Amino acid sequence: MHHFHYHKRELYAEEVPVARIVEEVGTPVYIYSAATLRRHFRVFREAFSGIPHLLCYSVKANSNLAVLALLAREGSGADIVSGGELYRALRAGIPPEKIVFSGVGKTEKEMEEALSAGILMFNVESLGELEALSRVARRLGRKAPLAIRVNPDVDPRTHPYISTGLKKNKFGLPEGLAFQAYLRAKEDPYLEPVGVDCHIGSQLTEISPFVEALRRLKTLYLRLREEGLPLRYLDLGGGLGIVYGEEEPPPPREYAEALLREMRDLPETTLILEPGRVIAGNAGILVTRVLYVKHHPPTEENPEGRTFVIVDAGMNDLIRPTLYQAYHRIQPIRETLEGETLVADVVGPICESGDFLARERRLPAVRPGELLAVMSAGAYGFVMSSNYNSRPRAAEVLVDGARFFVVRKRETYEDLVRLEEIPEF
Ligand SMILES: *Cc1c(COP(=O)(O)O)cnc(C)c1O
């Protein structure tokens, strides 16, 4: 579900023609829909309304302050993975008592910042980190609330780079070690175990791995309660998939129903979820302009030859296609019905063969100057962008009904070198 649609053959973001935004802001540009973000969050919230729960939006999916502020107003908490994300979440008005801090490599400085801010809990991923957290808490003279991130060894059946809950992945602790860590934390006056946590991966299109992971969490949770640990949170992480192309992920309501069934015998427990992609993914598009169309003549391998649509957005703007072999729909801003088509690689200006947005894609016969929308680019899009090839990062725009706001200006050349200095050799 999203609010990007054609009206009189022209692509709109809510009530604003995409072409009008481009006229003002240029390309490449990320465009987010406020109505879509709100709707996604509300559907999720409704689905879990039957039990005590906390939705901690995963900031890394899309960390623009405007997006975070919008979600804060909807009542969202935050799942953060760095001091920078803590800073953003607080700046955007997300209350610290709704923030959980995940990640395998938290520094003591980051822990200090989060503990001073008064976050809900740290999701601790190793014994070393547990020791570090205890040191930090002692220094600050406060107790650090925590969950141990368990690696439940459940196969999420997704892309290997976004699988995180398998034994071979770097995340969390296996159940046995996690149990030991809890007993250790229980004895420490500066540590306060309050929950059990996991996150098994991203872009999952089935419910069963979530249910499996929740069952394993529950087993450990109940064992720990028997040991006298006053736990009250079960954090199942994020990971629910979205439609990019032909996938059929379960709707949030079905996902919630399956989890609610598992939570029935734990009425005193708050279920924490950390949705990222499912909130932001389909709430954003990347708009790019066609620069050139070129055709390479046939070869033995390629009897048809090969056509390249060269656009002004590259892998530095959207790395998902080349990093995860991710599929994004690509649509023209002006809809052409039944017209001529071509099959082409849609590529960017970066000097890398991995610089593509789509391969062997059937498109309308686009011409230089035309605009294309790369769909479902609201999550893991701009946040993963870089300045590679000294390309200023794209602008970000938030549409809300008939209005639109530039929520991050396009970077300038001056921005590119702002922190650099030529020494007196
Ligand atoms: C990335 C991440 C999420 C969000 O994952 P999505 O697939 O975007 O929902 C949640 N929790 C943790 C710990 C993560 O690293």
Side-chain angles (χ1 to χ4, degrees):
M1 218 307 294
H2 60 73
H3 292 267
F4 298 99
H5 56 91
Y6 288 99
H7 175 66
K8 293 187 179 158
R9 292 192 177 185
E10 196 180 348
L11 188 67
Y12 276 65
E14 301 189 20
E15 294 158 47
V16 184
V18 167
R20 210 177 90 213
I21 297 172
V22 168
E23 241 169 66
E24 222 165 282
V25 184
T27 54
V29 57
Y30 276 94
I31 301 176
Y32 310 129
S33 153
T36 311
L37 288 164
R38 287 192 195 106
R39 186 190 147 88
H40 287 170
F41 188 83
R42 288 173 191 175
V43 164
F44 225 82
R45 192 176 54 199
E46 291 295 303
F48 286 95
S49 61
I51 60 162
H53 69 280
L54 175 62
L55 301 183
C56 293
Y57 167 71
S58 176
V59 171
K60 75 176 192 288
N62 183 326
S63 57
N64 186 287
L65 283 179
V67 170
L68 299 181
L70 179 152
L71 293 171
R73 280 191 210 175
E74 293 295 314
S76 185
D79 166 47
I80 57 164
V81 294
S82 70
E85 287 190 353
L86 173 67
Y87 179 80
R88 283 180 178 277
L90 295 174
R91 274 283 291 260
I94 295 176
E97 65 274 12
K98 288 186 183 173
I99 297 179
V100 298
F101 192 173
S102 307
V104 290
K106 304 175 194 79
T107 64
E108 292 198 18
K109 178 169 172 284
E110 289 173 317
M111 291 179 193
E112 227 174 278
E113 292 161 357
L115 192 56
S116 307
I119 66 163
L120 179 66
M121 67 180 186
F122 292 83
N123 290 336
V124 172
E125 304 215 15
S126 65
L127 297 170
E129 185 189 335
L130 193 68
E131 301 301 328
L133 185 59
S134 169
R135 279 197 298 276
V136 169
R138 180 167 316 151
R139 264 203 312 272
L140 297 187
R142 339 178 34 146
K143 249 176 134 89
L146 68 98
I148 302 286
R149 176 162 174 183
V150 179
N151 185 328
D153 197 29
V154 171
D155 187 353
R157 297 188 280 277
T158 182
H159 189 278
Y161 287 7
I162 48 179
S163 291
T164 52
L166 282 169
K167 266 193 196 131
K168 64 178 178 192
N169 301 130
K170 70 177 177 183
F171 298 97
L173 284 173
E175 282 163 45
L177 273 180
F179 188 76
Q180 295 306 318
Y182 276 106
L183 297 186
R184 149 86 186 75
K186 182 175 174 241
E187 300 309 319
D188 189 318
Y190 292 98
L191 297 176
E192 187 193 6
V194 294
V196 178
D197 166 60
C198 80
H199 168 72
I200 57 174
S202 202
Q203 185 53 16
L204 272 72
T205 52
E206 296 169 53
I207 293 178
S208 56
F210 290 116
V211 171
E212 183 63 22
L214 183 52
R215 284 187 184 153
R216 300 210 181 162
L217 280 198
K218 255 176 78 177
T219 306
L220 178 63
Y221 180 85
L222 292 171
R223 253 179 87 200
L224 291 164
R225 292 243 284 216
E226 271 168 32
E227 293 286 331
L229 281 90
L231 304 181
R232 53 189 186 276
Y233 300 110
L234 270 182
D235 182 346
L236 191 61
L240 189 58
I242 64 168
V243 178
Y244 285 100
E246 303 300 319
E247 38 305 69
E248 291 176 358
R253 196 176 32 76
E254 273 175 37
Y255 162 80
E257 275 164 13
L259 302 185
L260 294 194
R261 268 197 295 280
E262 295 299 315
M263 294 300 290
R264 248 188 239 149
D265 48 341
L266 296 174
E268 308 286 285
T269 302
T270 299
L271 181 65
I272 298 179
L273 296 155
E274 304 167 351
R277 189 189 309 270
V278 72
I279 304 292
N282 279 318
I285 61 175
L286 170 64
V287 181
T288 182
R289 196 180 285 282
V290 177
L291 298 173
Y292 307 103
V293 179
K294 77 168 173 175
H295 191 75
H296 283 180
T299 60
E300 241 166 65
E301 284 162 67
N302 245 322
E304 304 282 308
R306 207 158 175 111
T307 301
F308 297 93
V309 171
I310 301 165
V311 299
D312 68 357
M315 64 186 276
N316 74 298
D317 298 298
L318 180 65
I319 202 173
R320 297 191 70 261
T322 191
L323 186 61
Y324 310 122
Q325 293 83 48
Y327 175 93
H328 286 265
R329 284 197 176 120
I330 298 184
Q331 297 177 192
I333 297 304
R334 281 185 219 296
E335 197 176 30
T336 44
L337 302 170
E338 303 298 315
E340 242 184 287
T341 63
L342 51 76
V343 173
D345 289 3
V346 180
V347 302
I350 301 269
C351 302
E352 298 275 348
S353 292
D355 179 27
F356 58 86
L357 299 177
R359 286 191 146 156
E360 298 181 33
R361 185 68 64 83
R362 184 163 293 281
L363 294 170
V366 289
R367 278 188 289 270
E370 287 179 2
L371 296 170
L372 295 174
V374 183
M375 307 303 289
S376 313
Y380 307 106
F382 181 88
V383 285
M384 293 181 102
S385 67
S386 77
N387 292 121
Y388 188 39
N389 280 205
S390 284
R391 289 169 48 80
R393 270 180 294 182
E396 292 176 285
V397 165
L398 180 71
V399 174
D400 191 9
R403 298 182 301 167
F404 72 90
F405 309 92
V406 177
V407 292
R408 192 178 200 272
K409 292 192 188 91
R410 183 178 307 288
E411 288 180 357
T412 63
Y413 294 149
E414 182 55 35
D415 291 329
L416 291 178
V417 297
R418 188 176 303 283
L419 302 172
E420 296 176 28
E421 213 166 321
I422 300 173
E424 315 241 338
F425 300 103

